[in-house]
Amino acid sequence: MKSIFDTISAKCSESITKNYSTSFSTAVKLLAPSIRQDIYNIYGFVRLADEIVDSFHDYDKNALFGILEDHLAFAIKNRISINPVLNSFQETVHKHQIPLELVNAFMHSMKLDLTKKVYTSTEEYQNYIYGSADVVGLMCLKVFVKGDAKKYEELKYSAMKLGSAFQKVNFLRDLKADFEELNRTYFPETNLNHLDETSKNKIIVEIEQDFKEGFKGIMQLPNEARFGVYVAYIYYKELLNKLKKTPSFEIKNARIRIPDYQKYSLFAKCYFNYQLNII
């Protein structure tokens, strides 16, 4: 029965989320059950594409990505896929009327990672972030507002800014892996061979402004989504603060992370603040 396969597909996307990102999956668990699975479905899809371009070094990435493109188009057109991740994602796309423009923009940025190594201009950098992060925020927003077009338009800018902030924090955190292992440089006009405090702080100021704009939208989200997104926001803000305090030469030589015990403390603080309505 198709319903059994659909259930397995959903569990597959959920499992991918939980195994690849404990921090994000914790935030997703704090969303209302009515929207939780759809966020798992989105994450499962974006992670699948990301893994192809970032991890499958011993295989033909271009061929694998081409297969993903073809199967994605088939899944969305026919409302089914034998790939469980795409099967669950297409269901979310149709259920929440996620525009194909968002999906295509995401795939375009992921495809750039197969060949493009250096982003030399602000325009190139911003276009990449739009496709790799902003549109993911917009896909999630489509789920959060449950068809409320007016609410979607009101929160669209903030959702994009929050997506940008998360992505830029990831760039800064993963600087060593991106530069040394994947030979990628996302930040324009920044010499990663000689990253100094001035360059680092310029990036951090940019991210802080994105967070400021993103937070405005969090406060206007429906109740079903607000707390989970707030927790993700606090986690990434704390990660940014840690990066801010870390000397630039250390960021280049190690992946900065937040220990599990500190994560639990942050989540507890978020819950306390939320219950007291002081966020």
Side-chain angles (χ1 to χ4, degrees), residues 152-163:
Y152 177 79
E153 290 300 323
E154 289 174 353
L155 299 181
K156 186 175 179 180
Y157 178 75
S158 292
M160 291 170 63
K161 285 297 180 181
L162 193 60

Side-chain angles (χ1 to χ4, degrees), residues 192-207:
L192 297 186
N193 285 309
H194 304 286
L195 181 70
D196 56 20
E197 289 301 302
T198 299
S199 299
K200 186 194 80 171
N201 290 332
K202 180 181 178 182
I203 294 169
I204 287 174
V205 168
E206 178 184 318
I207 299 172

Side-chain angles (χ1 to χ4, degrees), residues 24-78:
F24 183 76
S25 63
T26 298
V28 176
K29 288 177 185 176
L30 301 175
L31 299 171
S34 61
I35 59 175
R36 194 179 300 155
Q37 184 60 56
D38 287 304
I39 302 304
Y40 284 141
N41 294 348
I42 291 171
Y43 183 89
F45 162 67
V46 300
R47 173 54 63 181
L48 178 62
D50 195 56
E51 282 303 296
I52 291 174
V53 300
D54 283 357
S55 302
F56 297 167
H57 306 310
D58 296 329
Y59 304 91
D60 187 337
K61 295 182 181 181
N62 285 288
L64 290 172
F65 198 84
I67 292 170
L68 177 63
E69 287 181 305
D70 291 343
H71 286 199
L72 172 63
F74 182 94
I76 293 176
K77 179 181 178 180
N78 297 283

Side-chain angles (χ1 to χ4, degrees), residues 224-252:
E224 295 94 330
R226 188 181 306 140
F227 183 52
V229 178
Y230 173 69
V231 168
Y233 162 85
I234 290 297
Y235 169 76
Y236 270 91
K237 280 275 287 184
E238 184 61 27
L239 186 54
L240 180 64
N241 288 336
K242 191 166 185 177
L243 288 163
K244 191 174 184 178
K245 296 174 183 176
T246 302
S248 55
F249 71 88
E250 286 189 29
I251 293 177
K252 289 192 300 179

Side-chain angles (χ1 to χ4, degrees), residues 116 119-130 188-189:
K116 192 169 179 59
Y119 289 78
T120 57
S121 71
T122 299
E123 182 180 7
E124 285 184 342
Y125 169 62
Q126 290 176 341
N127 286 339
Y128 177 83
I129 288 180
Y130 171 76
E189 302 175 6

